Amino acid sequence: MPMYSVPLRTAFPVNGFRREMDRLFDEVVNARPQSATSWQPVTDAREDAAGYTLSLELPGVSPSNVEVLSEDGLLTVRGTKRAPELQPGQQVAFSERAHGEFIRHFRMPKRADLHAVTATYTLGVLTIRVAKLAPAQPTRVPITVAAALEQATEVPSATA
């Protein structure tokens, strides 16, 4: 059986729908419309026993133009991909590459330790590692009896 090369956008039209929903959600959360040149970096998320890993493709984006924030269970990645500068005498014939500002929000699970986040940038991929919190262990709470309560509950002696 021959194999045919099908563009990913054609083979999985749901991906475009997901990106559009992400963009709409970001507009609502940020209360500002996205510009015509806005784009969303594609992202993979993985989980293992020690934590969570997010990998965002950011080709052509300088790490100094990226910011990672964590607050109230939400991990936010924002940045800017600058448009290529034209040399004197050049003009754009056409442009298919995305550029401009981007922002992504990731609601993290309750077990995510947002105080233990690391981010590394290698070959155009931003990798964010979020550790998991240790499972909660039950703690025995000692009970103390107040002195006034002890006196009030003393039983009078039977020999009086």
Side-chain angles (χ1 to χ4, degrees), residues 65-77:
N65 291 335
V66 179
E67 181 179 41
V68 179
L69 304 166
S70 63
E71 180 180 18
D72 295 331
L74 195 66
L75 189 69
T76 301
V77 181

Side-chain angles (χ1 to χ4, degrees), residues 11 20 25 48 50 64 94 111 113 120 129 157:
E20 181 66 12
F25 176 76
D48 59 31
S64 64
F94 68 93
R111 292 195 54 210
D113 183 356
T120 57
R129 182 76 179 153
S157 80

Side-chain angles (χ1 to χ4, degrees), residues 8-155:
L8 192 58
R9 279 182 236 122
T10 305
F12 301 103
V14 173
N15 289 337
F17 176 74
R18 180 189 55 81
R19 278 191 294 276
E20 181 66 12
M21 292 305 294
D22 285 346
R23 185 189 65 75
L24 290 172
F25 176 76
D26 285 342
E27 282 184 17
V28 171
V29 169
N30 297 321
R32 68 175 176 83
Q34 298 289 321
S35 69
T37 59
S38 291
W39 63 286
Q40 296 292 310
V42 293
T43 305
D44 291 334
R46 296 177 306 281
E47 177 181 5
D48 59 31
Y52 307 92
T53 303
L54 297 168
S55 298
L56 290 83
E57 289 186 0
L58 300 174
V61 178
S62 170
S64 64
N65 291 335
V66 179
E67 181 179 41
V68 179
L69 304 166
S70 63
E71 180 180 18
D72 295 331
L74 195 66
L75 189 69
T76 301
V77 181
R78 72 176 68 201
T80 303
K81 182 177 181 181
R82 303 205 188 285
E85 293 185 23
L86 296 175
Q87 301 300 318
Q90 283 184 327
Q91 61 184 6
V92 176
F94 68 93
S95 178
E96 296 180 339
R97 298 187 320 177
H99 59 275
E101 295 181 1
F102 68 88
I103 186 166
R104 293 292 307 263
H105 301 284
F106 303 97
R107 174 72 49 200
M108 298 304 293
K110 290 185 180 192
R111 292 195 54 210
D113 183 356
L114 291 178
H115 297 289
V117 178
T118 60
T120 57
Y121 186 90
T122 306
L123 298 174
V125 177
L126 175 66
T127 302
I128 302 169
R129 182 76 179 153
V130 181
K132 284 185 179 177
L133 293 168
Q137 299 296 322
T139 304
R140 182 173 300 276
V141 177
I143 300 172
T144 58
V145 178
L149 186 58
E150 281 182 7
Q151 291 173 358
T153 59
E154 284 183 13
V155 178

